């Protein structure tokens, strides 16, 4: 049997630029475009550094497909929903151990970052992923 079938998925890192406002310091964003990387997310992680984050990549704009849970996540997150046109369509401060959060508007991407990054993204902003 091929051992690579059981290898952990490779995680790629990207950077994010907000075209409407500056970002205070670099973000180390994990690009999660596979089922396993999205399933793992921040589940069971003990803490989150201010520069860390991840983006969950969907196939299309959707409210249901871009929903998240905070079960087994032991810290709060700033969650920013971004549509296929790369516009921020919603955001929320997600509390640890809550069952579910849904965007008010359909989104393709879910950016999860440290709560201190909340003000760096506003609804209507245009973002760009680099090295995605």
């Amino acid at each position: 049997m091929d051992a690579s079938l059981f290898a952990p998925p490779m995680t790629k890192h990207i950077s994010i630029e907000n075209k409407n406002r500056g970002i205070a310091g670099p973000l180390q964003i994990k690009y999660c475009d596979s089922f396993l990387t999205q399933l793992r997310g921040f589940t069971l992680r003990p803490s989150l550094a201010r520069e860390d984050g991840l983006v969950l990549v969907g196939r299309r704009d959707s409210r249901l497909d871009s929903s998240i849970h905070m079960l087994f996540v032991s810290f709060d997150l700033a969650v920013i929903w971004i549509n296929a046109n790369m516009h921020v369509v919603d955001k929320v401060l997600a509390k640890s151990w809550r069952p579910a959060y849904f965007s008010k508007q359909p989104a393709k991407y879910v950016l999860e970052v440290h709560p201190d990054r909340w003000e760096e993204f506003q609804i209507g902003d245009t973002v760009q992923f680099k090295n995605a």
Side-chain angles (χ1 to χ4, degrees), residues 17-22 124-127:
E17 178 183 349
N18 187 334
K19 300 287 193 178
N20 300 90
R21 64 193 80 250
D125 285 356
T126 301
V127 298

Side-chain angles (χ1 to χ4, degrees), residues 14 21 37 45 48 64 71 78 89 93 99-100 109-110 117 119-120 128 130-131:
I14 66 166
R21 64 193 80 250
T37 57
R45 189 166 165 177
L48 179 67
L64 182 60
L71 299 173
V89 295
L93 283 172
Y109 305 98
V110 183
R117 302 291 195 145
E119 292 298 326
E120 296 177 15
Q128 179 181 4
K130 297 185 175 189
N131 306 319

